[in-house]
Amino acid sequence: MSINDYDLLRFIHILGVILLLGNVTVSSIWKVFADRTRDPAIMAFSQRLITYTDWTLTLGGVLMIIVGGYGMVSVADVPLMQSTWLVAGPLLSWSRARSGS
């Protein structure tokens, strides 16, 4: 059984979603438990590691989602500009990020 390009890109896309959602979930739980100690050293350590994992796992997950998603679109010959949701979703995400909300 061989893996075709579409299946590989789908795997990358799903792995990116798992990294993103997993890290966001674990980071929030980690932060809550660190803050409950009220120990500034533990809270600072937790925040440093959350920031580190955000830059590695969350950003890596987002990049994998983008590469996998648009890669699948390319391999499947889906007309990008005729698929409103493929253009509107990233534009809305980008505009929201730019607005700071």
Side-chain angles (χ1 to χ4, degrees):
M1 180 174 164
S2 65
I3 295 180
N4 61 30
D5 292 341
Y6 187 86
D7 289 337
L8 178 61
L9 290 164
R10 182 172 44 185
F11 174 77
I12 290 169
H13 186 73
I14 293 171
L15 183 60
V17 171
I18 292 168
L19 281 174
L20 173 68
L21 294 178
N23 188 54
V24 169
T25 303
V26 170
S27 292
S28 62
I29 293 169
W30 197 0
K31 178 81 170 123
V32 166
F33 281 112
D35 289 353
R36 286 178 60 189
T37 68
R38 298 193 187 272
D39 182 340
I42 293 173
M43 292 166 48
F45 177 74
S46 172
Q47 188 56 52
R48 272 194 314 274
L49 290 179
I50 289 170
T51 301
Y52 173 75
T53 59
D54 278 349
W55 280 107
T56 55
L57 299 176
T58 302
L59 182 60
V62 167
L63 293 175
M64 290 172 79
I65 290 169
I66 293 168
V67 168
Y70 283 104
M72 285 187 292
V73 166
S74 176
V75 168
D77 290 326
V78 174
L80 183 61
M81 291 305 166
Q82 293 177 2
S83 301
T84 308
W85 64 275
L86 289 172
V87 177
L91 285 176
L92 291 171
S93 296
W94 177 79
S95 66
R96 182 171 180 202
R98 296 270 301 155
S99 71
S101 57

